[in-house]
Amino acid sequence: MQHARSTRRPHPARRTLVMTGASRGIGRAAAERILTAAPDTHLLVVARASSGLRLSAELGAAGHSVSHIAADLASLDSVRSAAAGIRERLDHGELPPLHGFVGNAGAQHTNALTEGPEGLESTFTVNVLANHLFVRLLQDRFTAPARIVITVSDTHFGDFRHNLGMVPGPHWRNPEVLARPGAFPRPDSTAAGRTAYSTSKLAALHLVHELARRLPAGIDVVAHNPGFVPGTDLARDAGPVARFAMRRILPAMTLTPFATGRATAGRHLADVVLGITEAPTGSYVDRGRLARSSEESYDPRREGELWEAAERLTAARAG
């Protein structure tokens, strides 16, 4: 895989921030705010090769320091290759020191059968395993103080108050099962796809809690929930009726307390990343404030099991 490389030259930025999911929606708004609010940041966006060059050019148009590296987050081999490219650029002095990682990319499918190149279920791979692998492969390159932010979802609560009845609650199973296609009843149904999504977001919270225990002092990890943000491309694989509703009808809900606009959600995410919103390691930020995630999300036994499974499934080691 070919990676975008920067030329060796004095770098105007003093720190590097790696970000997935910056090409559209919440992530794009957050990236723009980060670059404006923290001009000493070099933003390294992880994106598909077809969009990475365009994205870095657009974000860097105002003189900001931006580059990209290609990756398909549904492929662990691709994530591994991207992480190796980032390590190489850091080691060669082509990037300033690494102070942050934002795992904002998310996947949701209309079934629980979509799989990536390694045969793993795509929702779980993108929302959980790709983040685990990036953090593990970059862990020894972070310079403290550093902050890792993983985007989660309040669908992990599984109740009407948090998902308005649109997404089934999580259905926890052994992580080795969750990582494989067909983990839920009627796996070819939209309901199974949405269950895979809410369950993967619960798993992402478990991952944040376990990372908080294991990462060295000075490297914090925080879960961020943007809330319900209509108008994003998360439903791009849904049917035409659902896509129309998400893009044309549900955005009106941002005028109510039940939904958040993309610009506001992006600002909330950026403020968590930059530390403007103070949050201790292992914490959950609900939009712009510290909160508790669901009671189910605090389970050290599950978190340990998820960690061990993620280590096996990703072979997460640098070198």
Side-chain angles (χ1 to χ4, degrees), residues 24 28 30 36 42 75 81 122 134 158 184 221 244 258 269 293 304:
R24 57 176 69 89
R28 178 61 178 263
T36 300
H42 178 90
S75 166
S81 180
S122 182
F134 262 126
F184 306 102
V221 56
F244 178 82
F258 298 105
L269 173 57
S293 51

Side-chain angles (χ1 to χ4, degrees), residues 87-117:
R87 290 170 61 91
E88 181 181 0
R89 291 172 61 181
L90 288 164
D91 292 348
H92 289 175
E94 298 174 6
L95 294 169
L98 179 63
H99 282 274
F101 172 80
V102 185
N104 179 63
Q108 179 177 316
H109 299 285
T110 56
N111 57 62
L113 296 170
T114 304
E115 62 183 60

Side-chain angles (χ1 to χ4, degrees), residues 10-60:
H11 211 291
R14 296 200 302 268
R15 63 175 191 163
T16 294
L17 174 67
V18 176
M19 184 174 186
T20 71
S23 61
R24 57 176 69 89
I26 301 168
R28 178 61 178 263
E32 292 171 352
R33 177 171 172 83
I34 288 167
L35 291 168
T36 300
D40 64 338
T41 298
H42 178 90
L43 185 64
L44 177 55
V45 293
V46 181
R48 292 181 181 271
S50 58
S51 61
L53 184 62
R54 171 189 55 77
L55 176 61
S56 58
E58 291 174 357
L59 290 172

